[in-house]
Amino acid sequence: MVETSAPRRATNTGPGRLLIAVYLLFAIAATSRAGLQIATKFDEAPVAYLLSAVAALIYIVAAVGLARAGHTGRRIALLCCSVELVGVVAVGILSLVDRELFPDETVWSQFGSGYGYIPLVLPVLGLFWLWRTRRDPA
């Protein structure tokens, strides 16, 4: 008798749908903010505005990864959530240490304080959801 491991639970069901919706909301917000800032005042804070654009891209790709729910989607979401967590912590620290580098806020500056710290919590929730929906032990 050959034992097979149980299939993974889909990341795009149950609470995963809410997580995807929040990622999409942040993708729209960050894309809009970065686009406007880059188009109108890029010379004032190029690092800050480019980081907002990077955050937007990560939110978009993470949402797609979570929505795909297959092996590739999970790997994409895991990478995005991990990079996002490192990014929000690094940018959060840098924005407090070197205020000249961040004369204007980004999505991740001051650990996402301008967005109610959701940018700090979101990757943790994403990683938790990926862990929670991992392959169940047989």
Side-chain angles (χ1 to χ4, degrees), residues 30-43:
T31 301
S32 301
R33 181 180 195 159
L36 180 65
Q37 290 171 326
I38 289 170
T40 61
K41 51 185 183 174
F42 182 73
D43 58 326

Side-chain angles (χ1 to χ4, degrees), residues 63-78:
V64 170
L66 288 167
R68 284 195 55 181
H71 178 71
T72 302
R74 291 180 67 81
R75 292 182 67 120
I76 290 168
L78 179 63

Side-chain angles (χ1 to χ4, degrees), residues 35-125:
L36 180 65
Q37 290 171 326
I38 289 170
T40 61
K41 51 185 183 174
F42 182 73
D43 58 326
E44 293 177 21
V47 172
Y49 302 149
L50 288 174
L51 283 171
S52 284
V54 168
L57 180 63
I58 289 172
Y59 290 139
I60 292 166
V61 176
V64 170
L66 288 167
R68 284 195 55 181
H71 178 71
T72 302
R74 291 180 67 81
R75 292 182 67 120
I76 290 168
L78 179 63
L79 176 64
C80 286
C81 290
S82 300
V83 169
E84 179 188 355
L85 182 58
V86 169
V88 75
V89 170
V91 171
I93 291 169
L94 276 174
S95 65
L96 294 175
V97 171
D98 187 359
R99 294 195 187 270
E100 289 182 15
L101 190 59
F102 296 92
D104 200 358
E105 287 191 9
T106 71
V107 177
W108 291 347
S109 62
Q110 298 178 12
F111 305 101
S113 65
Y115 289 87
Y117 297 99
I118 294 172
L120 182 60
V121 175
L122 193 56
V124 174
L125 292 175

Side-chain angles (χ1 to χ4, degrees), residues 1-7 135-138:
M1 182 171 157
V2 176
E3 287 188 35
T4 59
S5 59
R135 190 179 312 260
D136 290 331

Side-chain angles (χ1 to χ4, degrees), residues 9 74 127-134 136:
R9 292 187 281 165
R74 291 180 67 81
L127 291 169
F128 173 76
W129 185 244
L130 289 166
W131 175 80
R132 180 82 172 89
T133 58
R134 73 195 185 287
D136 290 331

